[in-house]
Amino acid sequence: MFAVIKTGGKQYRVNAGDHVKVESLPNEVGQQVTLSEVLAVGDGAQVRIGAPLVSGAAVLATVLAHGRHAKVKIFKMRRRKHFQKHAGHRQNFTEIRIDSIA
């Protein structure tokens, strides 16, 4: 059984038992999270697609860890103008384990 969930402005296709890194959530490590924005639920050949959400569907997950992704380097340059600019960005994430799809 799988579900397509929406959290942090992104969509993820998840199965029970998956470990997923999502945008940062305010929950503590070890805490249960209910993700209620379920866009689709499928079980084999049968798929329920919401318009926009599937009514009555929810995904239960457990927060495993908080962290930061690898640094993304930004480099801007204008040729022949003696202009170079360096910057970097590290995005926060929350790692969750999908416990069940209801």
Side-chain angles (χ1 to χ4, degrees):
M1 183 170 211
F2 73 92
V4 178
I5 60 171
K6 179 181 172 187
T7 178
K10 297 177 176 64
Q11 297 176 8
Y12 303 91
R13 184 185 190 272
V14 296
N15 295 316
D18 284 354
H19 291 237
V20 183
K21 290 182 180 178
V22 298
E23 293 295 317
S24 186
L25 297 173
N27 303 78
E28 297 293 324
V29 175
Q31 196 174 13
Q32 284 272 339
V33 178
T34 301
L35 304 169
S36 58
E37 292 192 39
V38 180
L39 304 174
V41 175
D43 188 16
Q46 183 182 5
V47 178
R48 289 178 30 208
I49 299 174
L53 303 175
V54 177
S55 62
V59 174
L60 293 175
T62 303
V63 176
L64 298 178
H66 296 288
R68 301 184 79 186
H69 286 290
K71 181 173 273 195
V72 176
K73 295 184 178 163
I74 298 111
F75 178 68
K76 297 181 180 182
M77 186 180 94
R78 302 284 184 259
R79 62 183 188 161
R80 299 185 305 270
K81 305 297 181 195
H82 201 263
F83 171 81
Q84 291 183 354
K85 183 176 180 181
H86 300 271
H89 176 73
R90 292 185 70 187
Q91 186 71 23
N92 295 328
F93 71 85
T94 299
E95 185 174 1
I96 60 174
R97 180 183 62 235
I98 306 299
D99 295 329
S100 65
I101 299 171

